[in-house]
Amino acid sequence: KQTENQILIIFGASGDLTKRKLIPALFELYKRKMLPEKFAVLGASRSQLSDEEFRLRADEFLDDHESLEDFKKMLFYQSVQNDTADDFIPLKNRLDEIADAGSIEKNYVFYLSTPPSLYSVIPKLLCKNGLSKSDQFFRRLIVEKPFGTDLESAQELNVQLLNYFEEEQIYRIDHYLGKETVQNMLVTRFSNGIFEPLWNRRYIERVEITSAESLGVESRGGYYDHSGALRDMVQNHLLQVTGFVAMEPPVVVEADAIRNEILKVFQSFRPIRENEVSKYVIRGQYTASTIGGKQIAGYREEEGVDRLSRTETFIALKFFIDNWRWAGVPFLIRTGKKLPTRVTEIVITFRKVPHHLFGNNNDQHSHNQMIIRIQPDEGILLKFGMKTPGAGFNVQTVNMDFHYSDLTNTTVPAAYERLLLDCMIGDATLYARGDAVEQAWKFVQPIINAWQTNPEIPIYGYPAGTWGPEEAERLIPNGSWRYPCKN
Ligand code: BG6
């Protein structure tokens, strides 16, 4: 599709996300000549900054490329207050001015990268100033996470947004959907004759999705302590990834067709009831440890974190998708901070052969695993059994391994590049739809409730730098999680 000329307005422009992710993503798009011919970025937040100061800040995360100065000329800044409708008049005037000066059509994409308390305020002020709709131009709204903090607040937020914008104008960002490797799930599954016939309960024993981070909460303790791994990673990113792994083939590769299939997966999740939470969900929190002679602080010692915090920095859960394809197949999700490495991967474990012909012990195991490495070292690894050369018929497991890095002349675009571009084009396929977001909250809500009301549900400590509490193993009675550093 054609990228029409437009202006991107970033609310929360003095924040971290803008300088670390959004501006660098825009610069990449600029270098690759993928931005609209006439384009501008207007940063907006409460801070008093000049255009020049905003451009200087942007510099920090941009590489020194010959086109840097030209790119920076497209960046503008406007300080705004968010109290009354009149507070947005300067913003509106500034937009007119930038559009007129650059002969840019008044197509606007508003990006909410502010504290969530402003998510319903800003759309209202935009609406009151006539900026949310136009007969002539498009108006879109990107909403960053967190999209609510529980089911009720997510529903409330959807209602609020829909007071001022139509669903088609709203783009709820989930940056995991912008990852090339997540999208490739669809191509792997639906463009190959050899995988999809096996992609069901008859041939698959279990599905694991692991997203491990070696970093801790860094400077985000204040936010994270009110969130925790369930809200921060599972409700959004990892359930969306599950949607891609488990969905039925969409009728066409279009936003609604794909998003309908994701919703159906979420609707088929077997609810985990409050009284079953300790059986299906394990939570943990990292404690102080020493790694390579270095003292690592425990979570409760981190800045912004309550000294008696019971917020989980690790979660592992098991659940089922009650539909024709997946009946009885456990889905396992695991994520945590301060684990031994940074890796996100999907592990499909296929069932064992029905009869063991070969004598050695190895023959009893399933050799067949497909590991889709979402990041880093993006790629796909297929494990299968092979005869150990020499006498007898001994079987060993070997790898077939594809790495994206082996593709020459190809760069894997960063998630924000892809998503920003999609919104500019008007393609919402890789954005979460309101009904699916609510459905995902419906699934996690009993877990939140049980943790809140039942202090007897343990939160296990795990030393920073380990794979989380050992209790997570109990979720897979006849097997074990894959530990990516080891194999
Ligand atoms: C964010 C979470 O949404 O995703 C962070 O708030 C987390 O806590 C991050 O670190 C992980 O993203 P990525 O792309 O680094 O896997």
Side-chain angles (χ1 to χ4, degrees):
K1 285 189 209 168
Q2 181 77 25
T3 324
E4 293 171 64
N5 296 335
Q6 57 194 284
I7 301 179
L8 171 68
I9 300 95
I10 306 178
F11 291 98
S14 55
D16 235 33
L17 187 80
T18 306
K19 64 177 182 193
R20 275 178 200 279
K21 299 279 187 193
L22 303 182
I23 302 287
L26 291 166
F27 187 38
E28 276 312 307
L29 292 172
Y30 181 73
K31 285 190 279 189
R32 285 193 274 122
K33 306 202 181 332
M34 295 179 87
L35 288 180
E37 203 184 320
K38 291 178 183 164
F39 179 70
V41 178
L42 179 61
S45 65
R46 277 181 197 266
S47 318
Q48 295 287 344
L49 296 177
S50 63
D51 290 344
E52 213 30 61
E53 284 166 320
F54 181 55
R55 290 170 186 170
L56 262 178
R57 280 185 177 215
D59 242 353
E60 198 184 330
F61 288 88
L62 302 181
D63 53 350
D64 197 13
H65 188 266
E66 54 186 10
S67 58
L68 180 62
E69 287 312 310
D70 285 339
F71 169 74
K72 279 173 27 186
K73 284 185 197 139
M74 297 193 306
L75 307 180
F76 302 89
Y77 183 86
Q78 175 67 44
S79 151
V80 283
Q81 304 302 312
N82 310 300
D83 302 317
T84 64
D86 286 354
D87 287 343
F88 270 30
I89 294 174
L91 179 86
K92 191 177 174 184
N93 292 341
R94 192 72 205 279
L95 279 171
D96 285 339
E97 192 186 301
I98 295 169
D100 293 342
S103 323
I104 308 176
E105 281 85 350
K106 291 178 181 163
N107 294 316
Y108 300 149
V109 174
F110 301 103
Y111 195 120
L112 299 185
S113 165
T114 61
S117 54
L118 293 176
Y119 285 3
S120 50
V121 177
I122 292 173
K124 180 161 118 193
L125 301 185
L126 290 172
C127 179
K128 288 201 163 164
N129 282 278
L131 288 165
S132 62
K133 287 191 179 66
S134 153
D135 293 336
Q136 231 180 324
F137 305 109
F138 70 70
R139 299 290 154 86
R140 297 178 188 142
L141 180 73
I142 304 184
V143 187
E144 252 302 328
K145 64 169 284 216
F147 200 87
T149 53
D150 58 12
L151 175 60
E152 201 185 322
S153 55
Q155 284 169 332
E156 174 61 26
L157 179 54
N158 270 334
V159 169
Q160 290 285 342
L161 294 179
L162 290 169
N163 279 336
Y164 310 112
F165 284 81
E166 304 290 327
E167 176 65 31
E168 295 67 49
Q169 295 176 281
I170 304 173
Y171 291 69
R172 296 170 195 79
I173 210 161
D174 186 313
H175 79 280
Y176 265 59
L177 297 186
K179 293 185 193 280
E180 187 62 35
T181 39
V182 172
Q183 297 153 38
N184 188 45
M185 272 305 309
L186 296 189
V187 176
T188 304
R189 289 187 54 197
F190 302 128
S191 80
N192 291 295
I194 60 172
F195 299 126
E196 196 51 25
L198 305 182
W199 213 261
N200 59 57
R201 60 185 296 276
R202 278 187 291 283
Y203 302 101
I204 291 179
E205 188 171 286
R206 65 171 184 275
V207 176
E208 284 163 56
I209 299 173
T210 289
S211 185
E213 290 184 86
S214 45
L215 290 181
V217 290
E218 311 307 300
S219 57
R220 299 163 71 225
Y223 149 77
Y224 195 87
D225 208 31
H226 294 105
S227 170
L230 177 64
R231 290 184 172 96
D232 189 51
M233 291 293 292
V234 177
Q235 184 276 337
N236 38 52
H237 307 323
L238 302 180
L239 290 185
Q240 290 286 343
V241 171
T242 308
F244 275 65
V245 177
M247 71 161 81
E248 295 301 317
V251 182
V252 281
V253 183
E254 279 172 15
D256 262 332
I258 292 183
R259 300 195 309 173
N260 286 343
E261 296 307 330
I262 290 182
L263 177 66
K264 282 192 224 160
V265 172
F266 291 3
Q267 286 169 332
S268 312
F269 287 163
R270 184 189 304 169
I272 297 178
R273 294 200 196 85
E274 284 184 38
N275 61 6
E276 298 172 321
V277 166
S278 30
K279 182 170 165 206
Y280 289 110
V281 188
I282 304 293
R283 58 174 167 167
Q285 191 185 72
Y286 62 84
T287 55
S289 76
T290 316
I291 305 177
K294 220 176 124 201
Q295 275 290 113
I296 310 287
Y299 175 68
R300 292 182 185 178
E301 298 154 61
E302 303 274 18
E303 199 190 316
V305 172
D306 190 308
R307 295 293 161 254
L308 297 173
S309 171
R310 285 175 64 80
T311 299
E312 79 289 358
T313 59
F314 172 96
I315 179 171
L317 72 155
K318 174 161 78 175
F319 61 100
F320 294 89
I321 301 178
D322 283 338
N323 64 14
W324 204 260
R325 183 187 287 265
W326 295 113
V329 179
F331 277 71
L332 296 126
I333 286 182
R334 175 178 61 162
T335 180
K337 303 255 183 219
K338 284 270 160 94
L339 301 189
T341 186
R342 173 173 183 259
V343 65
T344 299
E345 62 175 30
I346 302 162
V347 183
I348 311 287
T349 300
F350 292 90
R351 290 193 190 284
K352 284 179 257 192
V353 292
H355 172 63
H356 302 289
L357 257 190
F358 309 105
N360 69 327
N361 234 352
N362 232 343
D363 187 31
Q364 315 298 319
H365 296 112
S366 165
H367 310 288
N368 298 128
Q369 275 190 327
M370 183 168 170
I371 294 130
I372 299 155
R373 284 187 306 260
I374 305 291
Q375 65 185 25
D377 187 17
E378 291 83 354
I380 296 182
L381 169 67
L382 193 61
K383 289 177 171 280
F384 60 100
M386 198 199 77
K387 179 179 171 300
T388 306
F393 276 93
N394 288 331
V395 186
Q396 70 185 76
T397 304
V398 293
N399 294 339
M400 240 159 59
D401 205 356
F402 160 71
H403 300 259
Y404 273 73
S405 53
D406 295 342
L407 297 174
T408 46
N409 298 330
T410 310
T411 41
V412 177
Y416 276 101
E417 288 169 39
R418 173 68 202 261
L419 292 173
L420 280 170
L421 190 63
D422 278 3
C423 179
M424 289 180 196
I425 297 170
D427 182 351
T429 312
L430 300 175
Y431 284 86
R433 203 169 60 190
D435 48 6
V437 171
E438 286 185 19
Q439 196 65 39
W441 275 116
K442 236 175 242 174
F443 176 66
V444 302
Q445 190 64 48
I447 308 176
I448 298 175
N449 295 349
W451 285 349
Q452 253 167 16
T453 54
N454 187 351
E456 308 222 314
I457 300 179
I459 172 155
Y460 300 99
Y462 65 96
T466 64
W467 274 104
E470 280 169 13
E471 282 75 7
E473 277 296 322
R474 129 165 108 65
L475 298 176
I476 313 184
N478 303 316
S480 171
W481 292 90
R482 189 179 120 86
Y483 292 93
C485 296
K486 295 186 200 150
N487 50 0

